[in-house]
């Protein structure tokens, strides 16, 4: 009897410890959405229609945009007819999905209700990451460089309403990645990954006005912005690291280790947290104590290759795309809810 009581007490203690750990974790898993077995390869970026409970995911190796019904928790279908879809933005005002297509190089405009391509703005090859200025209806697209035989890259300025490429802003460096757009000012920050720099663009003048060196690590890929505290967050791959820059000086104020292969980064202004998803199979979480002080929180295990994520502040949810395992588990979307 005493032995059984001891086992019961140990079990209750373990349950209490587990419950406390789950409560203290920055996220907890609330849903998993399995994709069709035919969806193979890496994913790139996501967009979410908050009011319509839909999620859109670019699958460049599958040449599709995958569509999910978040209300029912189901994968619904693939939008086909694309070359190499990469960046993606959902525009609630027009119920349109904007997708950069790297092959042959364009910005596709997709009707949100029919899922058909209704516009195609011609760009050069390797169109990739996007940043959208909603009030101006202007889309910024990074593209070009190495894949088109040029020693520089470009940020294209696309008018979504007229469906025209208004300008190409040239930037030294063969590879550009993520961007962050200021709301209170005219600046656009761009990761120049091949040169370990951040280019600063004046959106009104449509020209580069500064270049900041990234000195703590190499291969800065993902980016996020805390505009109120004047802090720019970078995720690097050489090695995996979170780097914090002062947007008034361009200088580094903090750097912390991170998982490898990070491709997406988000700043949660409500909780003062940074989320970074990496292909090593983890989401790194950092607590911002003040503008210059950051503390790592428990990592969230996801799955191999799960570098693509999207944090939606209106829902307090983080969506993570996990690629299929060849000959095994199909691809899935993991849905996490943020804890207070």
């Amino acid at each position: 009897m005493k032995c059984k009581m001891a086992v019961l007490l140990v079990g209750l203690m373990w349950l209490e410890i587990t419950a406390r750990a789950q409560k203290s974790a920055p996220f907890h898993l609330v849903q998993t959405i399995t994709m069709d077995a035919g969806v193979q390869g890496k994913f790139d970026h996501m967009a979410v229609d908050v009011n319509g409970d839909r999620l859109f995911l670019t699958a460049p190796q599958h040449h599709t945009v995958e569509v999910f019904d978040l209300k029912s928790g189901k994968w619904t279908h693939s939008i086909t007819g694309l070359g190499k879809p990469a960046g993606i933005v959902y525009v609630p005002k027009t119920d349109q999905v904007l997708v950069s297509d790297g092959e042959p190089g364009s910005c596709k405009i997709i009707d949100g209700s029919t899922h058909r391509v209704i516009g195609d703005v011609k760009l050069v090859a390797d169109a990739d990451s996007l940043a959208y200025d909603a009030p101006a209806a202007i889309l910024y697209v990074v593209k070009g460089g190495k894949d088109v035989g040029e020693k520089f890259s470009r940020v294209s300025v696309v008018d979504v309403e007229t469906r025209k490429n208004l300008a190409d802003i040239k930037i030294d460096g063969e590879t550009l990645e993520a961007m962050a757009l200021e709301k209170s000012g005219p600046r656009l920050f761009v990761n120049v990954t091949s040169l370990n720099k951040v280019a600063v663009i004046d959106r009104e003048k449509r020209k580069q006005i500064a270049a900041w060196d990234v000195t703590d690590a190499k291969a800065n890929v993902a980016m996020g912005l805390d505009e109120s505290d004047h802090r720019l967050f970078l995720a690097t791959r050489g090695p995996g690291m979170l780097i914090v820059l002062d947007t008034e000086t361009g200088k580094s104020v903090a750097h912390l280790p991170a998982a490898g292969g990070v491709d997406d980064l988000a700043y949660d202004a409500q909780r003062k947290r940074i989320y970074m998803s990496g292909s090593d199979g983890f989401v790194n979480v950092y607590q911002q104590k003040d503008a210059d002080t950051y503390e790592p929180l428990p990592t969230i295990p996801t799955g191999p290759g799960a570098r693509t994520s999207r944090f939606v502040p209106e829902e307090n949810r983080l969506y993570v795309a996990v690629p299929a395992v060849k000959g095994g588990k199909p691809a899935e979307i993991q849905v996490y809810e943020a804890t207070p």
Side-chain angles (χ1 to χ4, degrees), residues 22-74:
Q22 290 176 342
K23 190 175 181 180
S24 64
F27 285 103
H28 62 276
L29 184 68
V30 294
Q31 189 179 47
T32 299
I33 306 173
T34 303
M35 297 184 216
D36 182 82
V39 182
Q40 299 287 321
K42 296 178 181 179
F43 301 116
D44 214 335
H45 295 290
M46 293 184 195
V48 173
D49 168 16
V50 175
N51 294 327
D53 288 315
R54 293 178 297 174
L55 183 145
F56 303 92
L57 169 67
T58 56
Q61 294 177 327
H62 196 237
H63 313 294
T64 58
V65 170
E66 303 302 315
V67 185
F68 304 83
D69 183 329
L70 297 176
K71 192 172 184 179
S72 65
K74 294 181 179 179

Side-chain angles (χ1 to χ4, degrees), residues 174-219:
E174 293 182 341
T175 307
L176 305 182
E177 287 289 347
M179 295 177 282
L181 188 148
E182 239 179 9
K183 293 181 180 179
S184 61
R187 292 185 300 176
L188 175 70
F189 305 101
V190 186
N191 267 332
V192 188
T193 306
S194 55
L195 298 181
N196 307 310
K197 293 179 181 289
V198 172
V200 185
I201 291 174
D202 186 314
R203 305 198 311 271
E204 295 174 351
K205 297 178 181 178
R206 292 179 183 166
K207 64 180 291 188
Q208 182 176 336
I209 57 174
W212 299 334
D213 291 322
V214 179
T215 58
D216 298 311
K218 296 181 180 180

Side-chain angles (χ1 to χ4, degrees), residues 132-160:
Y132 185 57
D133 183 346
I138 295 292
L139 184 72
Y140 296 90
V141 188
V142 302
K143 60 187 180 67
K146 186 176 181 180
D147 288 352
V148 293
E150 296 174 339
K151 293 183 180 180
F152 58 87
S153 296
R154 316 175 188 206
V155 175
S156 290
V157 184
V158 176
D159 188 315
V160 175

Side-chain angles (χ1 to χ4, degrees), residues 12-334:
L12 290 173
M13 288 173 63
W14 175 252
L15 287 173
E16 184 179 352
I17 292 169
T18 303
R20 286 179 181 176
Q22 290 176 342
K23 190 175 181 180
S24 64
F27 285 103
H28 62 276
L29 184 68
V30 294
Q31 189 179 47
T32 299
I33 306 173
T34 303
M35 297 184 216
D36 182 82
V39 182
Q40 299 287 321
K42 296 178 181 179
F43 301 116
D44 214 335
H45 295 290
M46 293 184 195
V48 173
D49 168 16
V50 175
N51 294 327
D53 288 315
R54 293 178 297 174
L55 183 145
F56 303 92
L57 169 67
T58 56
Q61 294 177 327
H62 196 237
H63 313 294
T64 58
V65 170
E66 303 302 315
V67 185
F68 304 83
D69 183 329
L70 297 176
K71 192 172 184 179
S72 65
K74 294 181 179 179
W75 170 88
T76 59
H77 63 283
S78 300
I79 299 175
T80 59
L82 304 172
K84 186 183 176 184
I88 188 165
V89 170
Y90 176 73
V91 184
K93 183 179 178 181
T94 58
D95 188 23
Q96 293 177 345
V97 183
L98 312 177
V99 180
S100 61
D101 194 340
E103 295 176 358
S106 66
C107 171
K108 297 287 197 307
I109 302 174
I110 299 172
D111 185 291
S113 58
T114 65
H115 299 134
R116 293 182 178 180
V117 176
I118 58 174
D120 190 1
V121 182
K122 299 298 181 184
L123 305 172
V124 299
D126 203 29
D128 198 345
S129 298
L130 305 179
Y132 185 57
D133 183 346
I138 295 292
L139 184 72
Y140 296 90
V141 188
V142 302
K143 60 187 180 67
K146 186 176 181 180
D147 288 352
V148 293
E150 296 174 339
K151 293 183 180 180
F152 58 87
S153 296
R154 316 175 188 206
V155 175
S156 290
V157 184
V158 176
D159 188 315
V160 175
E161 293 179 349
T162 63
R163 301 178 186 176
K164 292 182 179 180
N165 183 12
L166 302 179
D168 283 328
I169 304 169
K170 293 182 180 180
I171 298 177
D172 288 336
E174 293 182 341
T175 307
L176 305 182
E177 287 289 347
M179 295 177 282
L181 188 148
E182 239 179 9
K183 293 181 180 179
S184 61
R187 292 185 300 176
L188 175 70
F189 305 101
V190 186
N191 267 332
V192 188
T193 306
S194 55
L195 298 181
N196 307 310
K197 293 179 181 289
V198 172
V200 185
I201 291 174
D202 186 314
R203 305 198 311 271
E204 295 174 351
K205 297 178 181 178
R206 292 179 183 166
K207 64 180 291 188
Q208 182 176 336
I209 57 174
W212 299 334
D213 291 322
V214 179
T215 58
D216 298 311
K218 296 181 180 180
N220 44 309
V221 176
M223 179 182 284
L225 179 63
D226 171 12
E227 198 164 349
S228 62
D229 289 319
H230 311 288
R231 293 294 179 263
L232 187 70
F233 307 117
L234 310 178
T236 64
R237 293 182 179 175
M241 192 172 287
L242 166 68
I243 295 176
V244 185
L245 301 185
D246 185 327
T247 59
E248 295 184 318
T249 65
K251 302 299 183 182
S252 174
V253 298
H255 59 274
L256 295 90
V262 170
D263 205 49
D264 278 318
L265 181 156
Y267 176 63
D268 181 350
Q270 179 184 339
R271 293 170 182 80
K272 296 287 185 179
R273 291 176 184 167
I274 300 124
Y275 311 130
M276 293 165 37
S277 55
S279 57
D280 278 359
F282 297 94
V283 173
N284 285 107
V285 183
Y286 306 88
Q287 185 69 56
Q288 183 185 51
K289 310 297 284 187
D290 57 51
D292 295 340
T293 309
Y294 300 82
E295 175 187 340
L297 297 181
T299 57
I300 309 300
T302 51
R307 62 179 193 167
T308 301
S309 64
R310 181 78 177 190
F311 178 67
V312 182
E314 297 92 337
E315 301 176 344
N316 293 319
R317 288 193 167 187
L318 178 74
Y319 298 92
V320 180
V322 184
V325 177
K326 194 172 182 178
K329 193 176 180 181
E332 63 184 24
I333 297 290
Q334 296 175 354

